[in-house]
């Protein structure tokens, strides 16, 4: 049930990075996932709100913690688990890579699931999540490129 999408953004990597770590702005462009935390900093915990349909209804809330936030690697990573990962774990990251010429970048958006529930295909609507992450990438692209 792992998910991976890549999207090319026609903005410099630093512009895209500022948008990724500006958690307050996510609600403006992202209909599927909102990270509610005081700051994007390794070790900081918060609440992840997810709306699988992107319709601003039926939001679900999960605990998460930033696993890595690196402006050098342009990496924003977070994780969550239930029962220490035995029942469920999710390792999520969004990484930006500068493309040749420096005027554009590539967004790599990945989530790796573990635990008993994903192994059985239970716990989350994985097909909807896959679609949501792609739409999330496209929404960030539209937000950044105008």
């Amino acid at each position: 049930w792992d998910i991976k999408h890549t999207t090319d953004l026609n903005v410099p990597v630093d512009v895209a990075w500022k948008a990724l770590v500006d958690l307050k702005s996510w609600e403006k462009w992202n209909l599927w996932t909102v990270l509610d935390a005081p700051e994007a900093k390794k070790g900081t915990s918060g609440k992840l709100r997810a709306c699988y349909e992107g319709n601003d209804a039926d939001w679900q809330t999960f605990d998460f913690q930033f696993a890595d936030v690196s402006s050098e690697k342009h990496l924003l990573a977070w994780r969550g688990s239930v029962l220490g990962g035995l029942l469920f774990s999710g390792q999520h990251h969004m990484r930006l890579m500068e493309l040749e010429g420096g005027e554009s970048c590539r967004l790599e958006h990945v989530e790796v699931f573990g635990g008993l529930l994903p192994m059985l295909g239970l716990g989350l609507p994985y097909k909807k999540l896959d679609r949501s992450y792609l739409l999330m990438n496209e929404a960030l692209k539209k937000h950044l490129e105008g």
Side-chain angles (χ1 to χ4, degrees), residues 89-123:
S89 69
Q91 305 286 329
H92 199 133
H93 81 254
M94 298 176 84
R95 179 190 317 262
L96 297 164
M97 296 154 283
E98 186 173 78
L99 296 177
E100 189 175 331
E103 294 302 314
S104 60
C105 61
R106 179 164 292 140
L107 168 63
E108 176 186 77
H109 189 170
V110 175
E111 185 154 16
V112 176
F113 299 100
L116 184 61
L117 290 177
M119 186 173 67
L120 297 172
L122 303 171

Side-chain angles (χ1 to χ4, degrees), residues 112-146:
V112 176
F113 299 100
L116 184 61
L117 290 177
M119 186 173 67
L120 297 172
L122 303 171
L124 291 174
Y126 299 100
K127 289 181 182 179
K128 286 182 183 181
L129 271 178
D130 183 58
R131 178 182 172 273
S132 294
Y133 291 176
L134 177 60
L135 292 172
M136 190 171 151
N137 283 17
E138 292 173 0
L140 178 60
K141 180 178 178 71
K142 183 178 179 182
H143 172 72
L144 291 171
E145 295 178 7

Side-chain angles (χ1 to χ4, degrees), residues 55-103:
N55 60 3
D56 204 25
D58 302 320
W59 288 88
Q60 293 188 18
T61 303
F62 305 93
D63 293 327
F64 82 95
Q65 182 178 55
F66 283 110
D68 197 359
V69 180
S70 171
S71 58
E72 293 171 358
K73 296 184 281 183
H74 299 104
L75 174 67
L76 182 66
W78 61 93
R79 62 179 170 237
S81 65
V82 177
L83 290 176
L86 182 63
L87 193 57
F88 175 86
S89 69
Q91 305 286 329
H92 199 133
H93 81 254
M94 298 176 84
R95 179 190 317 262
L96 297 164
M97 296 154 283
E98 186 173 78
L99 296 177
E100 189 175 331
E103 294 302 314

Side-chain angles (χ1 to χ4, degrees), residues 18-29:
K18 286 178 186 173
L20 277 185
V21 296
D22 181 6
L23 303 179
K24 299 290 185 207
S25 77
W26 279 38
E27 291 184 24
K28 295 177 186 173
W29 59 267

